[in-house]
Amino acid sequence: MSLRSADLVDASNAQAVNNFREYLQIRSVHPEINYDGCVKFLEKQAKSLDLPIKIVTVVPGKPIVIMTWTGKNPNLPSIMLNSHMDVVPVYEDMWSQKPFGGEIVDGKVYGRGAQDMKCVGIWYLEAIRMLKSNKVTLECTLHVTFVPDEEIGGKDGMKVFVETEEFKKLNIGCALDEGMPSTNEEFALFYDERCMWHMNWTCPGISTHGSALVNDTAGEKVAYILGKIYEFRRNEQNKLKYLKGTMGDVTAINLNVIHGGVQTNVTPAEIKFGLDCRVTPKEDFKTFEKMIESWRSEAGSGVTIDFVEKWLPVPATKLNDENPYWMAFKKATEALNLKLVPQICPGRTDGVFLRAKGIPVLGFSAINNTELLLHQHDEHLGVETFLKGIQIYCKIIEAMANV
Ligand SMILES: [Zn+2]
């Protein structure tokens, strides 16, 4: 019996969807992930693609998986196709489908990681499968990397990996990493990201009877600082509203943790609070730091700030003809009639560690016309969007690898 070409297309689509579903069924969920399931799954994928696979261990229990498709000219800088294997926890009872079932309901594949970002990892592999089956050969080498722990900051993942000899040997010229779904026709493209500042503030105060009207209370200091924070926040919200930019063009600041006090009739000796601040690289960092320091010193005596994270900007990826990989990416997406919206990523991704090493990174997930469900209940991806994604990555990868 011979298969018609339509059957072949259907068969390869079914295999791709099944691989996606199988990957979603692996519980690589925080906290305390055992990555063995992912490694086993990827070893099986590498075998089916006839690609060599290497597991690099920098931190025990946190494997970095690298599949390599050697190009015709392996001396050229390579392309890294990066994705993270880990996913964030779920509130299982809030899901309408099993979060690790990989089930298809109404044409959508459900599962934690369906958008962030197991879909992208599978897209790289399925695009390679398609290119290989079409007998396409590439000029430069591809390294498909699957890294751990991105969702908890990448400290034991990409951050340490970029410092190794193994990483240097990959000789990466450009990397693809995650983007963000878009709810309309357009596609988001990240060329830079906001800098994470996590601060723990401590406001000491006079501890006395709760009925007293003394000065120098912790509450007054907190009130002063919060007044400044919310004024700054309103300004940033207005900027976003009137400047018609994207989230990455402004700075976000949020009060997310607060502790203090022992009992209602005792003024607290101390109130502590934690801020998550995402500073746009468009900010003047010296001025911004001075502003934070002025809030601290004006709030009252003894106020301290402990910076848990204080990132400074790294070189943004150039989106001009100085970056041939971008030009190839752009041309490929134009040929597919995709409308890209280049922007600064509002969050943090592993791309930052690569950009810090001077490697251009394009943050892209081939998801448009889709509800944004990153880290949310009922995360899912339409089967049609998934299948279209394979075609998109085929074109992009082929163009970038023939720069
Ligand atoms: Zn992600």
Side-chain angles (χ1 to χ4, degrees):
M1 192 181 81
S2 69
L3 282 168
R4 287 175 298 128
S5 73
D7 292 328
L8 282 170
V9 168
D10 287 349
S12 71
N13 281 350
Q15 185 189 10
V17 173
N18 281 340
N19 285 337
F20 183 34
R21 295 176 65 196
E22 192 181 334
Y23 195 22
L24 291 174
Q25 285 161 359
I26 301 167
R27 288 181 161 265
S28 50
V29 56
H30 288 288
E32 288 171 26
I33 299 177
N34 181 339
Y35 285 102
D36 292 353
C38 288
V39 173
K40 241 173 102 184
F41 170 77
L42 293 169
E43 280 171 341
K44 193 174 76 179
Q45 293 301 320
K47 207 172 162 201
S48 74
L49 289 163
D50 195 23
L51 294 181
I53 184 168
K54 192 173 173 186
I55 318 295
V56 176
T57 306
V58 189
V59 177
K62 316 274 186 176
I64 289 142
V65 182
I66 311 168
M67 277 182 224
T68 300
W69 187 14
T70 307
K72 281 186 275 184
N73 195 344
N75 294 326
L76 287 174
S78 67
I79 307 282
M80 178 190 239
L81 305 174
N82 185 59
S83 66
H84 58 82
M85 300 180 281
D86 56 324
V87 296
V88 295
V90 293
Y91 289 93
E92 201 138 1
D93 350 334
M94 308 294 270
W95 283 60
S96 68
Q97 309 301 327
K98 284 187 223 133
F100 299 97
E103 282 157 302
I104 302 180
V105 181
D106 291 334
K108 293 164 185 146
V109 189
Y110 281 78
R112 173 60 85 222
Q115 296 188 3
D116 183 11
M117 65 172 303
K118 287 183 169 174
C119 54
V120 181
I122 296 293
W123 274 327
Y124 298 148
L125 299 181
E126 295 307 325
I128 291 173
R129 198 184 311 280
M130 191 161 281
L131 291 171
K132 283 189 126 193
S133 75
N134 291 340
K135 307 270 181 274
V136 174
T137 50
L138 304 175
E139 280 301 319
C140 73
T141 296
L142 300 180
H143 295 293
V144 196
T145 51
F146 295 83
V147 297
D149 284 14
E150 190 276 345
E151 294 290 5
I152 51 169
K155 190 171 67 70
D156 292 341
M158 188 62 93
K159 189 177 181 187
V160 285
F161 179 49
V162 297
E163 303 302 335
T164 62
E165 266 312 304
E166 279 92 345
F167 175 79
K168 258 182 238 151
K169 275 191 262 169
L170 299 181
N171 184 27
I172 298 160
C174 186
L176 287 186
D177 196 28
E178 65 193 304
M180 189 174 69
S182 137
T183 51
N184 57 27
E185 198 57 37
E186 299 165 335
F187 289 84
L189 186 279
F190 297 140
Y191 61 90
D192 197 0
E193 56 189 63
R194 294 198 289 195
C195 301
M196 187 163 69
W197 284 27
H198 284 175
M199 298 168 251
N200 287 330
W201 291 61
T202 303
C203 297
I206 290 184
S207 184
T208 181
H209 198 285
S211 65
L213 269 180
V214 294
N215 291 324
D216 202 32
T217 59
E220 282 172 289
K221 296 171 191 172
V222 173
Y224 181 84
I225 300 158
L226 291 189
K228 292 291 184 187
I229 288 170
Y230 285 100
E231 185 190 331
F232 176 81
R233 220 171 166 276
R234 275 190 298 276
N235 280 336
E236 295 299 295
Q237 284 172 327
N238 285 336
K239 260 195 234 169
L240 191 59
K241 200 162 143 193
Y242 297 112
L243 295 182
K244 284 196 177 152
T246 59
M247 275 291 283
D249 295 328
V250 296
T251 294
I253 188 163
N254 281 301
L255 169 69
N256 294 345
V257 182
I258 188 154
H259 296 291
V262 284
Q263 194 168 300
T264 319
N265 61 356
V266 182
T267 61
E270 182 177 271
I271 298 177
K272 285 174 177 280
F273 59 90
L275 300 180
D276 182 353
C277 186
R278 305 299 174 109
V279 192
T280 175
K282 294 186 168 181
E283 198 82 61
D284 177 338
F285 277 67
K286 281 230 160 67
T287 309
F288 185 75
E289 192 166 19
K290 263 190 202 150
M291 178 185 73
I292 299 276
E293 171 52 26
S294 71
W295 296 353
R296 189 203 64 77
S297 63
E298 290 159 16
S301 62
V303 176
T304 58
I305 309 172
D306 174 28
F307 280 91
V308 184
E309 301 283 356
K310 194 179 188 182
W311 298 46
L312 294 173
V314 296
T317 297
K318 285 181 183 154
L319 300 188
N320 57 29
D321 56 14
E322 282 175 54
N323 178 357
Y325 301 102
W326 158 248
M327 297 308 281
F329 183 100
K330 187 166 169 266
K331 210 172 147 194
T333 51
E334 276 168 3
L336 289 163
N337 273 322
L338 308 188
K339 191 172 185 310
L340 296 179
V341 183
Q343 58 192 279
I344 297 162
C345 176
R348 190 214 69 86
T349 72
D350 275 342
V352 71
F353 302 120
L354 296 163
R355 286 197 193 99
K357 292 281 171 198
I359 295 168
V361 180
L362 302 172
F364 177 74
S365 298
I367 312 174
N368 70 342
N369 291 320
T370 296
E371 188 187 351
L372 207 142
L373 291 168
L374 310 177
H375 300 199
Q376 296 183 39
H377 312 316
D378 272 343
E379 184 176 348
H380 61 253
L381 187 69
V383 174
E384 228 173 277
T385 309
F386 172 74
L387 292 176
K388 211 167 87 187
I390 302 171
Q391 309 291 336
I392 295 174
Y393 281 92
C394 273
K395 297 286 178 213
I396 291 173
I397 291 169
E398 194 180 353
M400 289 177 76
N402 287 324
V403 152

